Amino acid sequence: MSASTNEKQLLANTSNTLKDDIQITMLNKLDVSTKVFNVKDQVHTVEMVLVDEEGNKMLGSIINEHWQNFKNLIELNSTILITKASLAENCAANKFMGNPNKVSFNHETNIVELNDFLGEPYSFTFASFEDINNILFPPFHTVDIIGYITSSEKLTTFLGNGGELTPKVIVHLEDLNRNAINVTFFGDYANQMTDYISNNPDKTNVVIILQFGKFKFWGEKTWASNNYVYSKLFIDEYIQAIISFKQRLIEQTSGLTGSSQKSIGASVNCSVEDDFLIKTKFNNIAEVHMKTVRSVVIPGTIKYVPPTQQWYYLSCSTCPKGVRKSDTKCSNDKCKDKEFSPINRFRILIRVQDPMSIIDLTLLDREAVKILKVSANDLVESIIKGETSEQFPDVLNNLLEKYAFKIDIKKYNVDRQETGFGISKFSDDSKIIDTLENKFNLEQNDLFDSMHVTTGDIISQDVVNYT
């Protein structure tokens, strides 16, 4: 059956704050063509998310007393026409649709199945990772997020509120602007995620959507997670939002190597904390040498960014290979069929210091964007447009903080005995930094203790050496 345009009254028309004098008036006007796409049984009610053809969303609620009348008509992703439902205030703390009201089904409500829903079936409203990281949403607000998996951690379990073992997995996502966010999946969502990775270990560029996710600010970072009731997880599914995102992602990463091209199976790794504190060898700066190819972790403070050193370079937009202004194509064979459009990327020389020594490191575009929250291209454009007269933007001074760095000593460094170590990963987690600094202090204490030399011993040895 199809519904007329008049019958398809929008949920947006019911989003006004309820008042006693209009509540009865609205009772018989709520005729809405909707698509039900999330139904969850609860102890006292069945709740669902309704969306109309314009993408407006509202919570729907049926108490068990009336559920028997509707359960055969309401299915996931079914399209229905609802008449004679009542409008009630949504008193839940988590208002997943941002709508103050909900549709309440009662004994007079009538439901008719339809087949002509013309709206977008999922009605995603994606939040940017930048806005999430900057906490630009009110408390209890839910978000839709889309991103590709850069790495994931191993499945773990913890005791839930009811004392049951609950699975948990952390997935690291990036968006097309290289903003990053950590997403924690709990319960069935964690199993869905790990099952997909286990069954598709060789897949790359895996894009996921978390609909109706929640977020919180913890440990100086913003974390997203699923809600146990309303969230929906789409993993590399054949839907338009994922298809479009993946096409743009492949265009950006087709010339890259390394982490961006890792399969999701190879990207399952230990946590950042384990990587910095257990898996990778700790060094103080004075111990960093060029004898062997390896990765090491060092804690230190960025003390200086040389203002006379160019902090960006011109590169291919598809891969990070440097180009000249006069170039008409990228020399990377993988980019030969791609449109050539040079962009600016970060390549920042930084001077890092710990209590014993100093080292010069190179902060490349991927990690620099994560810290500065702005692209090199945007900064250069602001200089060209005259929005700032500074050739050395003030935002670069935001780098002057304490971090833990994972640096790679490559074959190039060993063969040529040249520094210029690249930073493969950084952490601004105070717990990780404090733990590494404590290691540093313990090693120094052990060094002095092992010498077994007192001040008197030193003086005596000096005297003997001169006689």
Side-chain angles (χ1 to χ4, degrees), residues 122-271:
Y122 303 102
S123 190
F124 297 122
T125 306
F126 293 118
S128 74
F129 285 13
E130 183 178 7
D131 287 348
I132 294 173
N133 285 324
N134 291 329
I135 320 177
L136 299 184
F137 299 98
F140 305 114
H141 191 93
T142 59
V143 293
D144 298 347
I145 59 177
I146 183 170
Y148 68 98
I149 299 175
T150 58
S151 63
S152 63
E153 300 178 13
K154 294 180 180 179
L155 183 73
T156 59
T157 57
F158 67 98
L159 284 178
N161 293 333
E164 72 286 354
L165 280 178
T166 302
K168 178 183 81 170
V169 66
I170 297 174
V171 175
H172 306 283
L173 302 180
E174 287 191 7
D175 63 14
L176 294 171
N177 296 318
R178 285 183 253 176
N179 297 307
I181 193 169
N182 299 320
V183 184
T184 305
F185 292 106
F186 299 100
D188 292 341
Y189 300 87
N191 290 330
Q192 181 184 349
M193 190 75 251
T194 52
D195 287 348
Y196 184 90
I197 293 173
S198 298
N199 294 329
N200 302 273
D202 297 326
K203 290 201 70 172
T204 60
N205 298 323
V206 174
V207 179
I208 72 171
I209 293 173
L210 177 63
Q211 189 171 34
F212 298 122
K214 61 181 182 179
F215 66 93
K216 66 178 179 179
F217 189 68
W218 181 80
E220 300 181 355
K221 293 182 180 179
T222 306
W223 291 75
S225 67
N226 63 274
N227 175 278
Y228 281 102
V229 179
Y230 294 104
S231 294
K232 293 195 73 178
L233 175 59
F234 303 83
I235 308 175
D236 233 30
E237 294 189 24
Y238 195 75
I239 57 179
Q240 190 56 49
I242 289 180
I243 293 170
S244 299
F245 186 101
K246 181 170 286 196
Q247 287 174 343
R248 294 175 61 194
L249 174 63
I250 291 173
E251 289 174 3
Q252 289 184 5
T253 61
S254 60
L256 297 178
T257 59
S259 61
S260 62
Q261 294 295 304
K262 283 184 181 179
S263 66
I264 55 173
S267 298
V268 177
N269 53 27
C270 57
S271 66

Side-chain angles (χ1 to χ4, degrees), residues 21-156:
D21 58 346
I22 66 169
Q23 187 170 0
I24 297 176
T25 305
M26 300 192 72
L27 181 65
N28 294 321
K29 286 189 175 181
L30 192 59
D31 297 343
V32 186
S33 180
T34 65
K35 185 161 188 175
V36 180
F37 63 90
N38 200 352
V39 177
K40 292 285 185 178
D41 289 324
Q42 296 184 359
V43 175
H44 299 294
T45 62
V46 175
E47 293 187 340
M48 67 205 73
V49 176
L50 306 173
V51 57
D52 65 23
E53 291 184 343
E54 303 259 332
N56 303 294
K57 304 183 189 77
M58 185 180 284
L59 181 69
S61 179
I62 309 174
I63 62 174
N64 281 342
E65 178 183 349
H66 302 309
W67 174 237
Q68 296 299 321
N69 300 330
F70 306 113
K71 68 178 184 179
N72 294 328
L73 297 172
I74 295 179
E75 297 179 1
L76 191 67
N77 296 323
S78 63
T79 301
I80 56 177
L81 175 68
I82 307 170
T83 57
K84 294 187 178 181
S86 58
L87 191 65
E89 183 179 2
N90 182 6
C91 298
N94 296 305
K95 294 179 175 59
F96 299 95
M97 282 56 70
N99 195 312
N101 303 323
K102 66 179 179 180
V103 179
S104 182
F105 294 69
N106 56 59
H107 66 281
E108 293 185 353
T109 303
N110 187 46
I111 293 178
V112 178
E113 291 184 272
L114 300 178
N115 54 17
D116 65 340
F117 185 82
L118 302 178
E120 202 280 320
Y122 303 102
S123 190
F124 297 122
T125 306
F126 293 118
S128 74
F129 285 13
E130 183 178 7
D131 287 348
I132 294 173
N133 285 324
N134 291 329
I135 320 177
L136 299 184
F137 299 98
F140 305 114
H141 191 93
T142 59
V143 293
D144 298 347
I145 59 177
I146 183 170
Y148 68 98
I149 299 175
T150 58
S151 63
S152 63
E153 300 178 13
K154 294 180 180 179
L155 183 73
T156 59

Side-chain angles (χ1 to χ4, degrees), residues 348-359:
I348 308 171
L349 178 66
I350 59 174
R351 186 155 294 168
V352 179
Q353 181 178 359
D354 69 10
M356 294 288 289
S357 191
I358 294 174
I359 191 171

